[in-house]
Short mmCIF file of all heavy atoms in Angstrom, two decimals:
data_model
loop_
_atom_site.label_atom_id
_atom_site.label_comp_id
_atom_site.label_asym_id
_atom_site.label_seq_id
_atom_site.Cartn_x
_atom_site.Cartn_y
_atom_site.Cartn_z
N ASP A 64 181.09 116.57 58.69
CA ASP A 64 182.19 115.95 57.96
C ASP A 64 182.29 114.44 58.21
O ASP A 64 182.91 113.72 57.43
CB ASP A 64 183.51 116.62 58.32
CG ASP A 64 183.62 118.04 57.77
OD1 ASP A 64 182.83 118.39 56.86
OD2 ASP A 64 184.48 118.80 58.25
N LYS A 65 181.71 113.99 59.32
CA LYS A 65 181.72 112.56 59.66
C LYS A 65 180.52 111.83 59.06
O LYS A 65 180.45 110.60 59.11
CB LYS A 65 181.69 112.38 61.19
CG LYS A 65 182.98 112.76 61.90
CD LYS A 65 184.00 111.64 61.81
CE LYS A 65 185.22 111.92 62.65
NZ LYS A 65 186.19 110.80 62.57
N CYS A 66 179.56 112.58 58.52
CA CYS A 66 178.34 111.99 57.96
C CYS A 66 178.48 111.80 56.45
O CYS A 66 179.57 111.85 55.91
CB CYS A 66 177.15 112.88 58.30
SG CYS A 66 176.82 113.05 60.07
N SER A 67 177.37 111.59 55.79
CA SER A 67 177.39 111.41 54.34
C SER A 67 177.86 112.69 53.66
O SER A 67 177.79 113.78 54.24
CB SER A 67 176.01 111.02 53.83
OG SER A 67 175.11 112.10 53.98
N SER A 68 178.29 112.59 52.43
CA SER A 68 178.87 113.72 51.71
C SER A 68 177.88 114.85 51.47
O SER A 68 178.28 115.99 51.21
CB SER A 68 179.45 113.25 50.38
OG SER A 68 178.44 112.67 49.57
N THR A 69 176.60 114.55 51.53
CA THR A 69 175.58 115.58 51.29
C THR A 69 175.13 116.29 52.56
O THR A 69 174.33 117.23 52.49
CB THR A 69 174.34 114.96 50.62
OG1 THR A 69 173.81 113.93 51.47
CG2 THR A 69 174.70 114.35 49.26
N THR A 70 175.63 115.88 53.72
CA THR A 70 175.20 116.46 54.99
C THR A 70 175.77 117.86 55.17
O THR A 70 176.96 118.10 54.98
CB THR A 70 175.63 115.58 56.17
OG1 THR A 70 175.05 114.28 56.01
CG2 THR A 70 175.16 116.16 57.49
N LYS A 71 174.92 118.80 55.55
CA LYS A 71 175.31 120.19 55.78
C LYS A 71 175.27 120.50 57.28
O LYS A 71 174.55 119.84 58.04
CB LYS A 71 174.36 121.13 55.05
CG LYS A 71 174.25 120.88 53.55
CD LYS A 71 175.57 121.21 52.86
CE LYS A 71 175.40 121.21 51.33
NZ LYS A 71 175.12 119.85 50.81
N PRO A 72 176.02 121.52 57.71
CA PRO A 72 175.97 121.92 59.12
C PRO A 72 174.55 122.20 59.62
O PRO A 72 174.23 121.91 60.78
CB PRO A 72 176.84 123.18 59.16
CG PRO A 72 177.83 122.95 58.07
CD PRO A 72 177.06 122.27 56.98
N LEU A 73 173.68 122.76 58.75
CA LEU A 73 172.30 123.03 59.16
C LEU A 73 171.57 121.73 59.48
O LEU A 73 170.72 121.71 60.40
CB LEU A 73 171.55 123.78 58.05
CG LEU A 73 170.09 124.13 58.37
CD1 LEU A 73 169.99 125.01 59.61
CD2 LEU A 73 169.45 124.84 57.17
N ASP A 74 171.88 120.65 58.78
CA ASP A 74 171.27 119.35 59.09
C ASP A 74 171.65 118.91 60.50
O ASP A 74 170.83 118.36 61.23
CB ASP A 74 171.74 118.29 58.09
CG ASP A 74 171.34 118.60 56.66
OD1 ASP A 74 170.24 119.14 56.46
OD2 ASP A 74 172.14 118.30 55.75
N ILE A 75 172.90 119.17 60.86
CA ILE A 75 173.38 118.80 62.20
C ILE A 75 172.70 119.66 63.26
O ILE A 75 172.27 119.15 64.31
CB ILE A 75 174.91 118.95 62.28
CG1 ILE A 75 175.60 118.06 61.25
CG2 ILE A 75 175.40 118.64 63.69
CD1 ILE A 75 175.26 116.59 61.35
N GLU A 76 172.56 120.94 62.99
CA GLU A 76 171.89 121.84 63.93
C GLU A 76 170.46 121.38 64.19
O GLU A 76 170.01 121.32 65.35
CB GLU A 76 171.89 123.26 63.38
CG GLU A 76 171.19 124.26 64.27
CD GLU A 76 171.28 125.68 63.74
OE1 GLU A 76 172.26 126.00 63.05
OE2 GLU A 76 170.35 126.47 64.03
N GLN A 77 169.75 121.04 63.13
CA GLN A 77 168.36 120.60 63.29
C GLN A 77 168.27 119.27 64.03
O GLN A 77 167.39 119.09 64.88
CB GLN A 77 167.71 120.50 61.91
CG GLN A 77 167.51 121.86 61.24
CD GLN A 77 167.06 121.77 59.80
OE1 GLN A 77 167.18 120.72 59.17
NE2 GLN A 77 166.53 122.86 59.27
N ALA A 78 169.19 118.35 63.73
CA ALA A 78 169.21 117.07 64.43
C ALA A 78 169.52 117.27 65.91
O ALA A 78 168.89 116.65 66.78
CB ALA A 78 170.23 116.14 63.78
N TRP A 79 170.47 118.13 66.20
CA TRP A 79 170.88 118.38 67.57
C TRP A 79 169.74 119.00 68.38
O TRP A 79 169.48 118.62 69.52
CB TRP A 79 172.11 119.28 67.57
CG TRP A 79 172.74 119.52 68.91
CD1 TRP A 79 172.90 120.71 69.53
CD2 TRP A 79 173.31 118.55 69.79
NE1 TRP A 79 173.54 120.56 70.74
CE2 TRP A 79 173.80 119.23 70.91
CE3 TRP A 79 173.46 117.16 69.73
CZ2 TRP A 79 174.42 118.57 71.98
CZ3 TRP A 79 174.08 116.51 70.79
CH2 TRP A 79 174.55 117.21 71.90
N ASN A 80 169.03 119.93 67.78
CA ASN A 80 167.94 120.60 68.50
C ASN A 80 166.71 119.72 68.66
O ASN A 80 165.81 120.04 69.44
CB ASN A 80 167.56 121.91 67.81
CG ASN A 80 168.43 123.07 68.24
OD1 ASN A 80 169.14 122.98 69.24
ND2 ASN A 80 168.41 124.14 67.48
N SER A 81 166.68 118.59 67.95
CA SER A 81 165.53 117.69 68.10
C SER A 81 165.50 117.05 69.49
O SER A 81 164.48 116.48 69.89
CB SER A 81 165.57 116.59 67.03
OG SER A 81 166.62 115.66 67.27
N ILE A 82 166.60 117.16 70.22
CA ILE A 82 166.64 116.69 71.62
C ILE A 82 165.62 117.45 72.46
O ILE A 82 164.97 116.89 73.34
CB ILE A 82 168.07 116.86 72.19
CG1 ILE A 82 169.04 115.89 71.53
CG2 ILE A 82 168.08 116.70 73.72
CD1 ILE A 82 170.49 116.15 71.86
N CYS A 83 165.50 118.75 72.19
CA CYS A 83 164.64 119.62 73.00
C CYS A 83 163.18 119.44 72.58
O CYS A 83 162.83 119.61 71.41
CB CYS A 83 165.03 121.08 72.81
SG CYS A 83 166.77 121.43 73.18
N LEU A 84 162.33 119.11 73.53
CA LEU A 84 160.91 118.91 73.25
C LEU A 84 160.11 120.15 73.63
O LEU A 84 159.85 121.00 72.81
CB LEU A 84 160.41 117.66 73.98
CG LEU A 84 161.17 116.36 73.63
CD1 LEU A 84 160.60 115.17 74.40
CD2 LEU A 84 161.16 116.09 72.14
N ASN A 85 159.74 120.28 74.89
CA ASN A 85 158.97 121.45 75.29
C ASN A 85 159.08 121.66 76.79
O ASN A 85 159.62 120.81 77.51
CB ASN A 85 157.49 121.28 74.90
CG ASN A 85 156.83 120.19 75.74
OD1 ASN A 85 157.14 119.01 75.60
ND2 ASN A 85 155.91 120.59 76.62
N ILE A 86 158.60 122.80 77.23
CA ILE A 86 158.51 123.10 78.66
C ILE A 86 157.03 123.26 78.98
O ILE A 86 156.35 124.11 78.38
CB ILE A 86 159.28 124.37 79.06
CG1 ILE A 86 160.77 124.22 78.74
CG2 ILE A 86 159.07 124.68 80.55
CD1 ILE A 86 161.60 125.44 79.06
N ALA A 87 156.55 122.46 79.90
CA ALA A 87 155.14 122.53 80.27
C ALA A 87 154.82 123.89 80.89
O ALA A 87 155.59 124.43 81.70
CB ALA A 87 154.81 121.41 81.27
N GLU A 88 153.68 124.43 80.53
CA GLU A 88 153.27 125.73 81.04
C GLU A 88 153.17 125.73 82.57
O GLU A 88 153.48 126.74 83.22
CB GLU A 88 151.93 126.13 80.42
CG GLU A 88 151.51 127.57 80.68
CD GLU A 88 152.40 128.59 80.00
OE1 GLU A 88 153.02 128.24 78.98
OE2 GLU A 88 152.47 129.73 80.50
N ARG A 89 152.78 124.60 83.14
CA ARG A 89 152.66 124.52 84.60
C ARG A 89 154.02 124.71 85.28
O ARG A 89 154.09 125.26 86.39
CB ARG A 89 152.05 123.17 85.03
CG ARG A 89 152.87 121.95 84.66
CD ARG A 89 152.12 120.65 84.95
NE ARG A 89 152.02 120.38 86.38
CZ ARG A 89 152.94 119.71 87.06
NH1 ARG A 89 154.02 119.24 86.47
NH2 ARG A 89 152.77 119.49 88.35
N LYS A 90 155.10 124.31 84.61
CA LYS A 90 156.43 124.50 85.17
C LYS A 90 156.85 125.96 85.08
O LYS A 90 157.43 126.50 86.03
CB LYS A 90 157.45 123.60 84.46
CG LYS A 90 157.23 122.12 84.71
CD LYS A 90 158.28 121.28 84.02
CE LYS A 90 158.08 119.78 84.30
NZ LYS A 90 159.10 118.95 83.62
N LEU A 91 156.56 126.59 83.96
CA LEU A 91 156.87 128.01 83.83
C LEU A 91 156.09 128.82 84.87
O LEU A 91 156.64 129.74 85.50
CB LEU A 91 156.52 128.50 82.42
CG LEU A 91 157.37 127.95 81.28
CD1 LEU A 91 156.84 128.45 79.94
CD2 LEU A 91 158.84 128.33 81.44
N ASN A 92 154.83 128.48 85.07
CA ASN A 92 154.01 129.18 86.06
C ASN A 92 154.55 128.96 87.47
O ASN A 92 154.56 129.89 88.29
CB ASN A 92 152.56 128.72 85.97
CG ASN A 92 151.88 129.20 84.72
OD1 ASN A 92 152.28 130.19 84.12
ND2 ASN A 92 150.83 128.50 84.30
N ALA A 93 155.02 127.74 87.75
CA ALA A 93 155.57 127.43 89.07
C ALA A 93 156.84 128.23 89.32
O ALA A 93 157.04 128.76 90.42
CB ALA A 93 155.85 125.94 89.18
N LEU A 94 157.71 128.33 88.32
CA LEU A 94 158.94 129.12 88.46
C LEU A 94 158.61 130.59 88.69
O LEU A 94 159.23 131.25 89.53
CB LEU A 94 159.81 128.98 87.21
CG LEU A 94 160.46 127.62 86.98
CD1 LEU A 94 161.08 127.56 85.59
CD2 LEU A 94 161.52 127.33 88.04
N ARG A 95 157.63 131.09 87.96
CA ARG A 95 157.24 132.49 88.11
C ARG A 95 156.70 132.76 89.52
O ARG A 95 157.08 133.75 90.17
CB ARG A 95 156.19 132.85 87.06
CG ARG A 95 155.86 134.33 87.01
CD ARG A 95 154.78 134.62 85.99
NE ARG A 95 155.27 134.52 84.62
CZ ARG A 95 154.97 133.54 83.78
NH1 ARG A 95 154.19 132.53 84.17
NH2 ARG A 95 155.43 133.54 82.55
N ARG A 96 155.86 131.86 90.02
CA ARG A 96 155.30 132.04 91.37
C ARG A 96 156.40 131.98 92.43
O ARG A 96 156.40 132.75 93.39
CB ARG A 96 154.25 130.96 91.65
CG ARG A 96 152.94 131.16 90.92
CD ARG A 96 151.84 130.27 91.49
NE ARG A 96 152.15 128.85 91.32
CZ ARG A 96 151.80 128.14 90.26
NH1 ARG A 96 151.13 128.71 89.26
NH2 ARG A 96 152.09 126.86 90.19
N LEU A 97 157.34 131.05 92.24
CA LEU A 97 158.42 130.91 93.22
C LEU A 97 159.26 132.19 93.28
O LEU A 97 159.62 132.65 94.36
CB LEU A 97 159.29 129.71 92.83
CG LEU A 97 160.46 129.38 93.77
CD1 LEU A 97 159.96 129.06 95.17
CD2 LEU A 97 161.25 128.20 93.20
N GLY A 98 159.56 132.75 92.12
CA GLY A 98 160.37 133.96 92.07
C GLY A 98 159.70 135.17 92.67
O GLY A 98 160.37 136.16 93.00
N GLN A 99 158.38 135.13 92.82
CA GLN A 99 157.65 136.25 93.40
C GLN A 99 157.62 136.22 94.92
O GLN A 99 157.17 137.17 95.55
CB GLN A 99 156.22 136.26 92.84
CG GLN A 99 156.15 136.60 91.36
CD GLN A 99 154.78 136.38 90.75
OE1 GLN A 99 153.91 135.73 91.35
NE2 GLN A 99 154.56 136.89 89.55
#
Side-chain angles (χ1 to χ4, degrees):
D64 290 344
K65 289 279 187 178
C66 297
S67 68
S68 60
T69 59
T70 301
K71 304 293 190 293
L73 180 60
D74 299 324
I75 300 303
E76 179 176 331
Q77 292 172 343
W79 186 241
N80 275 345
S81 71
I82 290 170
C83 304
L84 303 180
N85 69 292
I86 299 178
E88 190 67 25
R89 63 187 288 271
K90 293 182 179 180
L91 293 176
N92 290 337
L94 290 170
R95 188 182 287 108
R96 287 194 297 270
L97 182 60
Q99 291 170 347

